[in-house]
């Protein structure tokens, strides 16, 4: 037997799915959290029951990625029962989808979710009358009080016991509603979305009692403040800044103790490798690469990933995330990104590795690629910024030229990417009510997002660290010193500085350190540091990019990074006075 | 009159959506249908999105769509 959960975005499908199946799906307070279909096979009182959780859809008759997924599931799998999760606080708009589902030949059960939220809004819903009008069971449920869980289980049990006849539903909507709508011909609604919406409105008017007092608590007051352009934008910027400070502090706090803790282990590993292998290149590479490959992930990546998972979960569950999308929509549109991209981009100034993870909050694939590319090439992380500043001070480089070059690159790169990857310009975003995140959900999310550190990030970083060390130890890079002529003509910098630029492939924050040991004119230093600042993602960020968008995505970004760096070098060489 | 011409606090009824079928269907499925009463909550500066209340449902609508939704002020 197969049961499918369908509902509009942000109705709480995944919470009900998780509580019924014991699965651990990501749940958020914004539309579009689940972009995949989750499947859970459950031993349900001796029967094998398959549950499917689907991404939120407004209608099955419009077209987008989520709808295609749901329609495909209906075509490929035999579905026995539909559990339509409906948000009681937005009944009218949700019922339009219910009416559509009732046109299917599958039995439907309506889970009238978030009834507590509806009551806070002063809405009292007569679920029995609703069941009568729809001709299918309607069960009141609540995420917070777990209301309706037993009843929902009982309905599934009754369905299992008696089969398709267990849940009776009329072939069409009760004609009381249609008669009122004045459009009934034995309920031949067709698939016209507008007609269904009108019928949904009439049903909602019949079953919702709005005469109750609206509860206007501090969360609602806060919501009013945040949703106003002023002071909303400033509150959101402040929250974002606090998240950024929290991220930086947690990395700083963790780095020292974790390094001290790992030191004896690393010494032991290095000594063991040296004693096991005969002295030579391999012994050198492994004894350096393995401890290096452990230090960076544990001291920087691990605390950063953990903190970003917490920040992301808080922003998602509270309902703040879509508000970023709205408040910064205009700014983002200048470089072809939506407002919510502000979060990963600003986290990138702390550390770009977790910022790549944070880009997950952008559900549109093309936009996510644009954001990761901008993060990788343009945004300087805290480590880069620190060394950048010291290079600027050492060689008397003009900070204004560096900042202007970075801003111009950001806008130009954004515009080019936006042109190459055209996106839908139609911006409509639902603003869910603000909520207090629950501990259970918060921990669940952090757990799901953080497990990837041990299974994917750590092994990949270790392998790549060995590869990089092998390249550095082999002395291949020294051959590049022969490129003095080309380097001088194209970029106006010595080949040695060009090598520093190329080293950024491996360790972005090592590259400026190499520069510090050279004798460069301010002009040469400006070009070299600008080329380094606008080049490639560091190794941990590259690993995270592979994990998030695959190796092909990383290759594209690396190609664009090289190109950007070279163009910036050539451009500055042409523009800057000798 | 279209949504982008309304001021915060103004109430109106949606009359028509001047967009292609796919966009219109998507908007209608989200509850932005002719006949729906809306209240303008805020207009973001620099031609940013307009936030509207559609009866317990808050939506932010970008300028391009806001310009395409015809309304009748109440």
């Amino acid at each position: 037997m197969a049961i499918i959960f369908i509902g509009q975005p942000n109705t709480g499908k995944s919470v009900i799915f998780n509580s019924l199946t014991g699965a651990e799906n990501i749940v958020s307070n914004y539309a579009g959290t689940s972009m995949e279909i989750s499947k859970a096979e459950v031993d349900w009182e001796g029967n094998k029951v398959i549950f499917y959780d689907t991404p939120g859809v407004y209608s099955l008759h419009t077209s987008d990625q989520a709808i295609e997924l749901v329609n495909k599931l209906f075509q490929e799998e035999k579905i026995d029962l539909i559990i339509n999760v409906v948000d009681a606080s937005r009944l009218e708009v949700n019922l339009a989808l219910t009416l559509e589902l009732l046109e299917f030949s599958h039995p439907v059960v309506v889970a009238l979710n978030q009834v507590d939220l509806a009551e806070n809004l002063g809405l009292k819903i007569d679920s029995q009358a609703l069941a009568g009008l729809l001709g299918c069971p309607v069960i009141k449920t609540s995420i917070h009080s777990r209301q309706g869980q037993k009843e929902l289980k009982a309905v599934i049990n009754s369905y299992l016991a008696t089969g398709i006849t267990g849940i009776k539903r009329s072939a069409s909507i009760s004609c009381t509603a249609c008669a009122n709508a004045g459009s009934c011909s034995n309920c031949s609604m067709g698939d016209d979305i507008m007609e269904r919406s009108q019928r949904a409105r009439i049903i909602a008017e019949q079953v919702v009692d709005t005469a109750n007092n609206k509860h206007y608590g501090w969360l609602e007051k806060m919501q009013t403040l945040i949703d106003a352009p002023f002071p909303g934008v400033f509150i959101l910027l402040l929250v974002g800044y606090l998240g950024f400070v929290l991220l930086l502090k947690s990395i700083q706090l963790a780095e020292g103790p974790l390094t001290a803790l790992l030191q004896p282990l690393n010494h032991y590993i290095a000594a063991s490798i040296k004693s096991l292998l005969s002295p030579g290149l391999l012994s050198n590479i492994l004894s350096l690469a393995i401890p290096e490959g452990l230090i960076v992930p544990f001291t920087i990546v691990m605390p950063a990933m953990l903190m970003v998972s917490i920040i992301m979960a808080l922003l998602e569950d509270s309902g703040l995330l879509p508000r970023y999308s709205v408040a910064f929509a205009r700014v983002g549109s200048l470089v072809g990104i939506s407002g919510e991209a502000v979060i990963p981009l600003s986290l990138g100034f702390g550390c770009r590795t977790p910022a790549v993870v944070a880009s997950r909050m952008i559900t549109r694939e093309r936009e996510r690629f644009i954001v990761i590319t901008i993060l990788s090439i343009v945004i300087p992380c805290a480590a880069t910024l620190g060394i950048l500043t010291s290079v600027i001070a050492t060689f008397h480089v003009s900070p204004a030229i560096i900042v202007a070059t970075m801003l111009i690159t950001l806008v130009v790169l954004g515009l080019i990417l936006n042109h190459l990857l055209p996106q839908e310009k139609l911006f409509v975003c639902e603003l869910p009510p603000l909520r207090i995140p629950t501990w259970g959900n918060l921990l669940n999310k952090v757990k799901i997002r953080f497990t990837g550190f041990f299974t994917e990030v750590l092994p990949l970083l270790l392998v790549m660290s060995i590869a990089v060390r092998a390249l550095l130890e082999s002395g291949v890079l020294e051959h590049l010193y022969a490129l003095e002529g080309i380097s001088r003509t194209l970029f106006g910098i010595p080949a040695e500085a060009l090598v520093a630029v190329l080293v950024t492939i491996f360790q972005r924050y090592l590259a400026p350190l190499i520069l510090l040991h050279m004798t460069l004119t301010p002009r040469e230093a400006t070009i070299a540091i600008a080329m380094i600042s606008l080049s490639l993602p560091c190794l941990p960020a590259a690993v995270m990019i592979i994990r998030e968008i695959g190796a092909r995505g990383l290759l594209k970004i690396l190609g664009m990074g090289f190109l950007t760096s070279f163009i910036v070098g050539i451009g500055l060489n042409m523009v800057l006075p000798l | 009159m279209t949504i982008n011409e309304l001021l915060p606090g103004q109430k109106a009824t949606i009359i028509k959506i001047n967009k292609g079928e796919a966009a219109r269907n998507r908007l209608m499925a989200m509850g932005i249908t002719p006949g729906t009463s809306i209240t303008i909550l805020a207009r973001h500066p620099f031609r940013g999105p307009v936030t509207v209340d559609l009866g317990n449902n808050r939506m932010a609508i970008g300028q391009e769509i806001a310009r395409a939704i015809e309304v009748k002020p109440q």
Side-chain angles (χ1 to χ4, degrees):
Chain A
M1 175 176 165
I3 299 175
I4 183 169
F5 283 81
I6 297 187
Q8 293 197 352
N10 201 31
T11 51
K13 290 174 297 299
S14 300
V15 180
I16 300 183
F17 173 86
N18 287 355
S19 70
L20 278 180
T21 61
E24 289 177 337
N25 270 0
I26 293 259
V27 177
S28 295
N29 183 15
Y30 69 97
T33 318
S34 330
M35 275 317 284
E36 289 164 1
I37 290 174
S38 306
K39 184 179 175 184
E41 278 189 35
V42 177
D43 180 21
W44 194 276
E45 305 196 352
N47 294 290
K48 191 183 116 187
V49 179
I50 304 169
F51 288 89
Y52 294 100
D53 183 24
T54 60
V57 290
Y58 288 100
S59 160
L60 294 176
H61 293 294
T62 54
S63 57
D64 77 19
Q65 196 193 342
I67 293 161
E68 279 165 26
L69 279 172
V70 176
N71 280 329
K72 203 169 154 219
L73 184 72
F74 268 108
Q75 283 161 13
E76 289 174 359
E77 305 293 333
K78 187 185 162 288
I79 304 293
D80 299 290
L81 177 68
I82 298 172
I83 296 182
N84 173 215
V85 184
V86 164
D87 180 354
S89 67
R90 297 175 293 147
L91 192 64
E92 185 186 315
V93 64
N94 274 249
L95 279 181
L97 176 65
T98 311
L99 293 176
E100 204 177 300
L101 295 172
L102 285 164
E103 291 165 17
F104 283 30
S105 52
H106 306 75
V108 177
V109 174
V110 169
L112 190 63
N113 201 24
Q114 321 210 92
V115 280
D116 41 359
L117 183 70
E119 277 166 20
N120 276 346
L121 292 167
L123 309 169
K124 214 169 176 182
I125 298 163
D126 185 342
S127 59
Q128 280 187 339
L130 182 61
L133 287 169
L134 295 173
C136 70
V138 174
I139 296 157
K140 282 187 173 181
T141 56
S142 160
I143 300 167
H144 295 282
S145 64
R146 295 193 161 239
Q147 180 189 343
Q149 300 266 317
K150 270 189 204 160
E151 291 85 344
L152 208 51
K153 283 181 181 169
V155 169
I156 296 172
N157 285 341
S158 106
Y159 181 79
L160 276 170
T162 51
I164 201 143
T165 52
I167 298 164
K168 283 186 184 161
R169 81 167 182 82
S170 50
S172 53
I173 309 299
S174 160
C175 286
T176 334
C178 308
N180 287 330
S183 59
C184 178
S185 54
N186 196 23
C187 298
S188 58
M189 291 181 299
D191 58 358
D192 183 14
I193 295 172
M194 180 153 158
E195 201 180 340
R196 244 182 259 118
S197 301
Q198 281 168 349
R199 288 158 58 82
R201 184 178 308 154
I202 288 156
I203 295 176
E205 278 168 8
Q206 287 185 10
V207 299
V208 182
D209 178 4
T210 52
N212 302 284
N213 282 336
K214 187 173 176 174
H215 175 75
Y216 199 72
W218 70 270
L219 263 179
E220 285 76 16
K221 285 177 192 158
M222 196 71 201
Q223 187 174 314
T224 310
L225 277 179
I226 292 176
D227 285 347
F230 178 83
V233 173
F234 297 97
I235 298 174
L236 292 172
L237 279 174
L238 185 71
V239 172
Y241 176 72
L242 286 177
F244 174 71
V245 171
L246 206 66
L247 175 67
L248 270 189
K249 287 278 167 213
S250 63
I251 297 176
Q252 281 167 5
L253 278 175
E255 203 177 349
L258 285 175
T259 311
L261 208 71
L262 283 172
Q263 211 108 51
L265 178 72
N266 277 347
H267 283 313
Y268 175 74
I269 294 173
S272 308
I273 292 170
K274 278 188 176 155
S275 65
L276 279 172
L277 298 172
S278 51
L281 193 63
L282 187 66
S283 166
N284 269 351
I285 292 169
L286 291 181
S287 62
L288 283 171
I290 294 178
E292 276 171 0
L294 285 175
I295 283 278
V296 175
F298 276 109
T299 55
I300 298 173
V301 184
M302 187 178 76
M305 251 180 104
L306 195 63
M307 195 40 77
V308 162
S309 304
I310 296 171
I311 295 170
M312 269 175 79
L314 285 172
L315 289 177
E316 288 172 350
D317 287 10
S318 58
L320 281 176
L321 193 57
R323 286 169 167 92
Y324 277 93
S325 178
V326 175
F328 300 102
R330 196 68 197 120
V331 182
S333 69
L334 296 176
V335 281
I337 53 172
S338 66
E340 69 228 76
V342 168
I343 298 165
L345 289 180
S346 47
L347 287 178
F349 284 98
C351 180
R352 288 177 302 168
T353 310
V356 173
V357 186
S359 73
R360 272 189 200 181
M361 54 182 68
I362 300 157
T363 47
R364 295 159 299 276
E365 218 175 295
R366 279 179 291 191
E367 191 189 334
R368 197 167 172 224
F369 181 75
I370 295 181
V371 170
I372 295 181
T373 308
I374 291 175
L375 254 180
S376 309
I377 300 174
V378 189
I379 306 289
C381 65
T384 313
L385 276 174
I387 300 159
L388 197 85
T389 324
S390 54
V391 172
I392 288 174
T394 312
F395 297 102
H396 308 291
V397 170
S398 156
I401 295 176
I402 302 290
V403 173
T405 311
M406 284 176 137
L407 284 176
I408 293 168
T409 312
L410 171 71
V411 174
V412 172
L413 191 66
L415 290 176
I416 292 172
L417 285 170
N418 205 13
H419 185 73
L420 291 177
L421 304 165
Q423 299 173 82
E424 200 182 22
K425 292 278 185 300
L426 305 179
F427 177 80
V428 191
C429 175
E430 213 174 305
L431 292 170
L434 287 187
R435 283 180 215 152
I436 304 278
T438 60
W439 279 109
N441 200 22
L442 205 71
L443 289 174
N444 186 27
K445 273 185 173 182
V446 173
K447 195 175 119 193
I448 294 172
R449 289 192 175 134
F450 187 63
T451 41
F453 170 76
F454 292 100
T455 53
E456 295 159 48
V457 179
L458 192 59
L460 209 54
L461 259 176
L462 211 55
V463 170
M464 287 192 61
S465 165
I466 295 171
V468 166
R469 195 32 83 179
L471 205 68
L472 288 176
E473 294 289 312
S474 65
V476 170
L477 289 176
E478 281 153 31
H479 295 291
L480 294 169
Y481 291 138
L483 296 174
E484 184 73 25
I486 297 171
S487 182
R488 286 267 179 211
T489 319
L490 280 180
F491 312 115
I493 55 171
E496 232 184 328
L498 186 66
V499 171
V501 173
L502 293 172
V503 169
T504 56
I505 313 167
F506 317 119
Q507 288 291 4
R508 188 165 175 169
Y509 33 89
L510 264 185
L513 272 183
I514 301 172
L515 286 185
L516 286 175
H517 298 291
M518 288 187 230
T519 331
L520 297 171
T521 64
R523 187 182 189 273
E524 287 169 351
T526 307
I527 296 172
I529 198 70
M531 284 179 78
I532 287 168
S533 304
L534 297 159
S535 56
L536 305 170
C538 66
L539 191 61
V543 167
M544 209 55 89
I545 294 170
I546 296 179
R547 182 175 173 243
E548 294 296 321
I549 58 170
R552 273 185 67 180
L554 175 68
L555 282 178
K556 282 184 203 165
I557 292 174
L558 292 182
M560 276 188 279
F562 267 124
L563 205 65
T564 309
S565 189
F566 288 170
I567 291 172
V568 164
I570 295 169
L572 284 177
N573 189 29
M574 284 162 70
V575 172
L576 292 180
L578 283 167
Chain B
M1 197 172 206
T2 52
I3 283 190
N4 63 319
E5 295 170 69
L6 295 171
L7 296 170
Q10 252 188 302
K11 289 180 196 299
T13 310
I14 297 174
I15 308 170
K16 204 175 158 196
I17 303 170
N18 298 317
K19 273 275 164 202
E21 201 187 340
R24 201 171 56 230
N25 282 350
R26 193 177 137 216
L27 291 171
M28 289 202 293
M30 291 175 92
I32 304 169
T33 53
T36 307
S37 294
I38 57 158
T39 309
I40 305 294
L41 296 171
R43 282 167 55 145
H44 283 262
F46 311 113
R47 294 194 296 126
V50 182
T51 48
V52 295
D53 190 339
L54 295 114
N56 293 322
N57 201 16
R58 285 183 175 200
M59 290 266 181
I61 301 171
Q63 281 291 323
E64 200 173 328
I65 295 181
R67 273 199 299 272
I69 304 175
E70 272 183 45
V71 289
K72 190 180 159 198
Q74 286 175 4

